[in-house]
């Protein structure tokens, strides 16, 4: 009987992970327009033109289509494009990073958004929230091309390092709807 209850709980957790854990956020962002304009605001900007980068600091806010990123510091790596200006390649955010879509919020210490590969990687005590559901881990990788995301318990895909949940494992809490009994 105990094994059946344990297997049922594991099955319920697996089903919850399948619907929240990664795919929901990645699926929600799968159609994100990475070619949309990127709006940035901050308290300070330092342009390092020879290094093709700009460093924003102090209450940084980034918006692109339905995606928002807030952080203490942001480094924008760019390439000069012919004619109209800059081609943003990558955003590196640090310091209380929050990435939001319409239905999910992810928090971590550091986030890297590779616009060319359309991949967002967050590390350092990552929390993913959707409504009352919550996952914690060390690293979250969101592939905007495939609509797939993966959360690892540590920052390096299961190896020791920055831990997210307890003991370097992914942890979660999922709300279960009240069921009517007959």
């Amino acid at each position: 009987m105990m094994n059946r209850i344990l297997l049922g709980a594991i099955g319920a957790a697996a089903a919850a992970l399948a619907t929240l854990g990664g795919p929901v956020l990645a699926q929600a962002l799968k159609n994100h327009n990475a070619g949309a304009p990127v709006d940035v605001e901050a308290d300070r900007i330092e342009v390092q033109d020879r290094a093709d980068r700009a460093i924003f600091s102090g209450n940084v806010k980034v918006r692109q289509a339905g995606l928002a990123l807030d952080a203490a510091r942001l480094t924008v790596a760019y390439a000069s494009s012919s004619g109209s200006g800059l081609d943003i390649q990558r955003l590196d955010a640090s310091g209380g990073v929050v990435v939001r879509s319409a239905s999910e919020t992810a928090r971590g210490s550091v986030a890297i958004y590779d616009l060319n590969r359309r991949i967002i990687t967050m590390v350092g005590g990552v929390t993913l929230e959707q409504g009352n559901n919550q996952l914690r881990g060390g690293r979250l990788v969101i592939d905007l091309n495939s609509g797939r995301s993966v959360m690892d318990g540590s920052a390096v895909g299961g190896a020791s390092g920055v831990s997210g949940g307890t003991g370097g494992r992914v942890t979660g809490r999922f709300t279960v709807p009240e069921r009517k009994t007959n």
Side-chain angles (χ1 to χ4, degrees):
M1 180 69 168
M2 183 63 109
N3 284 341
R4 203 174 320 159
I5 293 170
L6 183 58
L7 288 174
I10 291 170
L17 283 171
T19 59
L20 167 72
V24 170
L25 179 61
Q27 287 295 331
L29 296 177
K30 183 176 181 182
N31 296 319
H32 174 72
N33 181 4
V38 177
D39 297 317
V40 181
E41 64 178 73
D43 294 337
R44 182 174 190 273
I45 180 175
E46 175 185 337
V47 177
Q48 299 175 350
D49 209 28
R50 289 186 181 161
D52 289 336
R53 71 178 165 215
I55 301 169
F56 295 84
S57 58
N59 196 26
V60 179
K61 298 187 181 308
V62 180
R63 305 296 181 258
Q64 183 188 43
L67 187 63
L69 183 149
D70 298 336
R73 179 181 170 95
L74 176 75
T75 301
V76 178
Y78 58 86
S80 297
S81 64
S82 59
S84 64
L86 306 175
D87 179 18
I88 296 175
Q89 307 287 313
R90 179 174 153 150
L91 304 175
D92 293 354
S94 61
V97 180
V98 179
V99 177
R100 284 184 311 283
S101 70
S103 57
E104 292 87 18
T105 300
R107 301 175 195 283
S109 299
V110 174
I112 299 165
Y113 178 13
D114 183 332
L115 277 81
N116 294 328
R117 294 176 53 212
R118 295 178 36 94
I119 292 177
I120 299 171
T121 304
M122 297 186 74
V123 296
V126 179
T127 302
L128 175 59
E129 298 170 350
Q130 180 193 49
N132 291 327
N133 300 316
Q134 188 177 81
L135 280 178
R136 293 182 185 276
R139 179 178 73 163
L140 173 64
V141 179
I142 305 165
D143 185 332
L144 300 174
N145 291 314
S146 68
R148 178 176 186 248
S149 63
V150 176
M151 184 174 284
D152 296 311
S154 70
V156 193
S160 61
V162 179
S163 62
T166 56
R169 297 170 53 90
V170 175
T171 60
R173 174 167 286 226
F174 307 97
T175 57
V176 179
E178 187 176 324
R179 303 198 194 294
K180 294 181 181 182
T181 58
N182 293 332

